[in-house]
mmCIF file of all heavy atoms in Angstrom:
data_model
loop_
_atom_site.group_PDB
_atom_site.id
_atom_site.type_symbol
_atom_site.label_atom_id
_atom_site.label_comp_id
_atom_site.label_asym_id
_atom_site.label_seq_id
_atom_site.Cartn_x
_atom_site.Cartn_y
_atom_site.Cartn_z
ATOM 1 N N THR A 95 103.623 38.944 22.492
ATOM 2 C CA THR A 95 104.771 38.046 22.368
ATOM 3 C C THR A 95 106.079 38.782 22.641
ATOM 4 O O THR A 95 106.956 38.287 23.364
ATOM 5 C CB THR A 95 104.795 37.425 20.965
ATOM 6 O OG1 THR A 95 103.559 36.761 20.721
ATOM 7 C CG2 THR A 95 105.935 36.428 20.838
ATOM 8 N N THR A 96 106.218 39.978 22.067
ATOM 9 C CA THR A 96 107.450 40.751 22.275
ATOM 10 C C THR A 96 107.596 41.177 23.736
ATOM 11 O O THR A 96 108.698 41.088 24.322
ATOM 12 C CB THR A 96 107.437 41.997 21.375
ATOM 13 O OG1 THR A 96 107.292 41.583 20.013
ATOM 14 C CG2 THR A 96 108.734 42.776 21.532
ATOM 15 N N LEU A 97 106.499 41.609 24.358
ATOM 16 C CA LEU A 97 106.547 42.019 25.753
ATOM 17 C C LEU A 97 106.933 40.853 26.674
ATOM 18 O O LEU A 97 107.763 41.007 27.583
ATOM 19 C CB LEU A 97 105.193 42.600 26.182
ATOM 20 C CG LEU A 97 104.875 44.016 25.716
ATOM 21 C CD1 LEU A 97 103.461 44.398 26.111
ATOM 22 C CD2 LEU A 97 105.866 45.012 26.306
ATOM 23 N N THR A 99 108.584 38.145 25.828
ATOM 24 C CA THR A 99 109.984 37.774 25.568
ATOM 25 C C THR A 99 110.948 38.692 26.298
ATOM 26 O O THR A 99 111.922 38.233 26.928
ATOM 27 C CB THR A 99 110.267 37.803 24.057
ATOM 28 O OG1 THR A 99 109.354 36.941 23.375
ATOM 29 C CG2 THR A 99 111.690 37.355 23.761
ATOM 30 N N MET A 100 110.698 39.995 26.259
ATOM 31 C CA MET A 100 111.576 40.932 26.950
ATOM 32 C C MET A 100 111.476 40.782 28.464
ATOM 33 O O MET A 100 112.466 40.945 29.188
ATOM 34 C CB MET A 100 111.236 42.371 26.533
ATOM 35 C CG MET A 100 111.519 42.666 25.069
ATOM 36 S SD MET A 100 113.223 42.296 24.580
ATOM 37 C CE MET A 100 114.144 43.367 25.666
ATOM 38 N N HIS A 110 119.958 43.297 26.705
ATOM 39 C CA HIS A 110 120.421 44.460 27.426
ATOM 40 C C HIS A 110 119.644 44.743 28.714
ATOM 41 O O HIS A 110 119.657 45.863 29.209
ATOM 42 C CB HIS A 110 120.340 45.702 26.514
ATOM 43 C CG HIS A 110 118.947 45.966 25.991
ATOM 44 N ND1 HIS A 110 118.373 45.210 25.015
ATOM 45 C CD2 HIS A 110 118.006 46.865 26.367
ATOM 46 C CE1 HIS A 110 117.157 45.639 24.796
ATOM 47 N NE2 HIS A 110 116.897 46.644 25.589
ATOM 48 N N THR A 149 108.030 33.548 18.392
ATOM 49 C CA THR A 149 108.741 34.803 18.607
ATOM 50 C C THR A 149 109.495 35.193 17.347
ATOM 51 O O THR A 149 109.917 34.332 16.565
ATOM 52 C CB THR A 149 109.731 34.662 19.788
ATOM 53 O OG1 THR A 149 109.025 34.120 20.914
ATOM 54 C CG2 THR A 149 110.312 36.004 20.186
ATOM 55 N N GLN A 150 109.698 36.489 17.163
ATOM 56 C CA GLN A 150 110.448 36.967 16.003
ATOM 57 C C GLN A 150 111.895 36.479 16.063
ATOM 58 O O GLN A 150 112.572 36.679 17.085
ATOM 59 C CB GLN A 150 110.424 38.492 15.966
ATOM 60 C CG GLN A 150 109.034 39.099 15.762
ATOM 61 C CD GLN A 150 109.070 40.600 15.755
ATOM 62 O OE1 GLN A 150 110.108 41.214 15.888
ATOM 63 N NE2 GLN A 150 107.894 41.207 15.592
ATOM 64 N N PRO A 151 112.398 35.841 14.995
ATOM 65 C CA PRO A 151 113.775 35.344 15.034
ATOM 66 C C PRO A 151 114.801 36.455 15.237
ATOM 67 O O PRO A 151 115.828 36.249 15.906
ATOM 68 C CB PRO A 151 113.940 34.664 13.671
ATOM 69 C CG PRO A 151 112.557 34.442 13.166
ATOM 70 C CD PRO A 151 111.716 35.512 13.746
ATOM 71 N N GLN A 152 114.543 37.633 14.661
ATOM 72 C CA GLN A 152 115.504 38.729 14.800
ATOM 73 C C GLN A 152 115.656 39.147 16.262
ATOM 74 O O GLN A 152 116.757 39.483 16.704
ATOM 75 C CB GLN A 152 115.057 39.940 13.970
ATOM 76 C CG GLN A 152 115.033 39.700 12.464
ATOM 77 C CD GLN A 152 113.737 39.051 12.004
ATOM 78 O OE1 GLN A 152 112.858 38.703 12.821
ATOM 79 N NE2 GLN A 152 113.601 38.882 10.689
ATOM 80 N N LEU A 153 114.569 39.104 17.028
ATOM 81 C CA LEU A 153 114.627 39.494 18.433
ATOM 82 C C LEU A 153 115.476 38.522 19.240
ATOM 83 O O LEU A 153 116.349 38.934 20.022
ATOM 84 C CB LEU A 153 113.206 39.565 19.004
ATOM 85 C CG LEU A 153 113.081 39.917 20.495
ATOM 86 C CD1 LEU A 153 113.689 41.283 20.783
ATOM 87 C CD2 LEU A 153 111.632 39.862 20.934
ATOM 88 N N LEU A 154 115.262 37.226 19.038
ATOM 89 C CA LEU A 154 116.024 36.235 19.778
ATOM 90 C C LEU A 154 117.495 36.263 19.388
ATOM 91 O O LEU A 154 118.378 36.173 20.242
ATOM 92 C CB LEU A 154 115.440 34.844 19.538
ATOM 93 C CG LEU A 154 114.055 34.574 20.131
ATOM 94 C CD1 LEU A 154 113.569 33.194 19.743
ATOM 95 C CD2 LEU A 154 114.085 34.721 21.642
ATOM 96 N N MET A 155 117.778 36.385 18.085
ATOM 97 C CA MET A 155 119.164 36.453 17.642
ATOM 98 C C MET A 155 119.869 37.687 18.202
ATOM 99 O O MET A 155 121.023 37.624 18.627
ATOM 100 C CB MET A 155 119.222 36.464 16.113
ATOM 101 C CG MET A 155 118.856 35.134 15.474
ATOM 102 S SD MET A 155 120.131 33.882 15.710
ATOM 103 C CE MET A 155 119.433 32.528 14.771
ATOM 104 N N THR A 156 119.170 38.811 18.225
ATOM 105 C CA THR A 156 119.764 40.042 18.753
ATOM 106 C C THR A 156 120.054 39.920 20.245
ATOM 107 O O THR A 156 121.121 40.302 20.729
ATOM 108 C CB THR A 156 118.834 41.235 18.492
ATOM 109 O OG1 THR A 156 118.583 41.337 17.090
ATOM 110 C CG2 THR A 156 119.466 42.528 18.984
ATOM 111 N N LEU A 157 119.086 39.378 20.999
ATOM 112 C CA LEU A 157 119.298 39.186 22.428
ATOM 113 C C LEU A 157 120.463 38.240 22.692
ATOM 114 O O LEU A 157 121.294 38.491 23.580
ATOM 115 C CB LEU A 157 118.020 38.631 23.070
ATOM 116 C CG LEU A 157 116.826 39.577 23.218
ATOM 117 C CD1 LEU A 157 115.610 38.835 23.730
ATOM 118 C CD2 LEU A 157 117.171 40.730 24.141
ATOM 119 N N GLY A 158 120.548 37.150 21.936
ATOM 120 C CA GLY A 158 121.633 36.202 22.124
ATOM 121 C C GLY A 158 122.979 36.791 21.807
ATOM 122 O O GLY A 158 123.949 36.632 22.563
ATOM 123 N N LEU A 159 123.092 37.482 20.659
ATOM 124 C CA LEU A 159 124.372 38.062 20.272
ATOM 125 C C LEU A 159 124.811 39.151 21.236
ATOM 126 O O LEU A 159 125.989 39.237 21.618
ATOM 127 C CB LEU A 159 124.274 38.616 18.852
ATOM 128 C CG LEU A 159 125.585 39.038 18.178
ATOM 129 C CD1 LEU A 159 126.564 37.880 18.134
ATOM 130 C CD2 LEU A 159 125.319 39.577 16.784
ATOM 131 N N ILE A 191 120.116 31.221 23.910
ATOM 132 C CA ILE A 191 119.006 31.910 23.265
ATOM 133 C C ILE A 191 119.197 31.983 21.755
ATOM 134 O O ILE A 191 118.231 31.964 20.986
ATOM 135 C CB ILE A 191 118.857 33.326 23.868
ATOM 136 C CG1 ILE A 191 118.506 33.211 25.351
ATOM 137 C CG2 ILE A 191 117.780 34.115 23.154
ATOM 138 C CD1 ILE A 191 117.224 32.450 25.630
ATOM 139 N N GLN A 195 115.440 28.861 18.818
ATOM 140 C CA GLN A 195 114.400 28.764 17.793
ATOM 141 C C GLN A 195 114.750 27.749 16.713
ATOM 142 O O GLN A 195 113.865 27.135 16.128
ATOM 143 C CB GLN A 195 114.156 30.137 17.173
ATOM 144 C CG GLN A 195 112.816 30.259 16.485
ATOM 145 C CD GLN A 195 112.471 31.687 16.158
ATOM 146 O OE1 GLN A 195 113.340 32.440 15.750
ATOM 147 N NE2 GLN A 195 111.214 32.075 16.333
#
Side-chain angles (χ1 to χ4, degrees):
T95 304
T96 304
L97 283 175
T99 304
M100 294 306 300
H110 58 286
T149 309
Q150 296 179 0
Q152 295 84 356
L153 178 60
L154 292 176
M155 289 289 183
T156 303
L157 288 174
L159 190 57
I191 297 301
Q195 200 167 40

